[in-house]
Amino acid sequence: MDNIKFICDCCGKEHESWPALTYNTPSSYYNLSPQEQEEIAVIDQDFCVIKYPDHVDRFVRCVLIQKVNDHCEDLEYGFWVSLSEKSFKDYLENFDNENHETQYFGWLCNYIPQYKFSNSVPTTVVTKSGNDRPEIFPHQDFDHPFVKDYYEGITKEEAEKRIQGMLKN
């Protein structure tokens, strides 16, 4: 993977940009058997729908920017979140509208190796003008180390460890 070199606005030095830590599917899709993926799920780069016999799960692709306290660059994640039927439909209907800006409630739907999850993390999904992927913000009052790290920031060493871990998988 080629890194992108740039002159940092923060410190004026040349850096190589970090790759985004991206998840190609929501964990629910990843956990399906190949047959189930074929029969009950539809996925593309931005949307995923899984139709179980008793309910339907709907997911959209988003970004999360993790603050890195001792570095000029932040760490970017490409996550999936689940949305309600109403929010998913609204997002889908306005997907090509460059001026559509709104917020949805969503649940984080990816396993992050550095953390243990007994429950999904609640998030606010914020759409952006210009058709960029929505950005997610974990709910600050949700008691979880991932949420704490999001709001307090992580170290450059921790960010690089996460990148190395992702590149090895």
Side-chain angles (χ1 to χ4, degrees), residues 1-150:
M1 174 181 296
D2 293 331
N3 283 347
I4 300 167
K5 292 186 179 188
F6 65 98
I7 302 298
C8 178
D9 291 337
C10 174
C11 68
K13 296 179 182 172
E14 183 177 80
H15 292 288
E16 289 190 13
S17 117
W18 287 337
L21 302 182
T22 59
Y23 293 80
N24 293 328
T25 70
S27 293
S28 299
Y29 180 89
Y30 178 80
N31 293 331
L32 296 173
S33 71
Q35 181 179 349
E36 289 172 317
Q37 288 177 357
E38 188 71 31
E39 292 176 357
I40 67 169
V42 177
I43 190 168
D44 65 21
Q45 288 187 316
D46 296 293
F47 299 95
C48 178
V49 176
I50 303 174
K51 294 180 180 179
Y52 297 100
D54 59 341
H55 71 282
V56 177
D57 287 340
R58 297 163 185 84
F59 308 92
V60 297
R61 199 134 185 213
C62 301
V63 298
L64 177 136
I65 309 299
Q66 172 64 66
K67 182 173 68 170
V68 179
N69 293 326
D70 55 347
H71 190 57
C72 296
E73 188 175 359
D74 292 326
L75 184 60
E76 184 176 319
Y77 282 94
F79 285 134
W80 291 83
V81 297
S82 66
L83 296 179
S84 69
E85 180 178 8
K86 180 182 176 189
S87 296
F88 183 85
K89 185 177 179 189
D90 183 70
Y91 181 65
L92 185 61
E93 287 174 353
N94 289 286
F95 186 69
D96 292 324
N97 178 351
E98 290 189 11
N99 299 312
H100 184 68
E101 294 183 49
T102 193
Q103 296 182 7
Y104 307 112
F105 174 85
W107 292 99
L108 181 64
C109 291
N110 288 109
Y111 168 75
I112 306 160
Q114 294 78 18
Y115 303 95
K116 292 191 184 325
F117 289 93
S118 56
N119 295 322
S120 185
V121 174
T123 68
T124 299
V125 180
V126 180
T127 63
K128 300 178 177 186
S129 62
N131 282 357
D132 288 338
R133 283 199 172 118
E135 187 171 352
I136 58 173
F137 299 89
H139 289 190
Q140 194 164 5
D141 61 353
F142 188 74
D143 185 24
H144 192 277
F146 174 76
V147 176
K148 182 177 181 245
D149 284 351
Y150 175 80

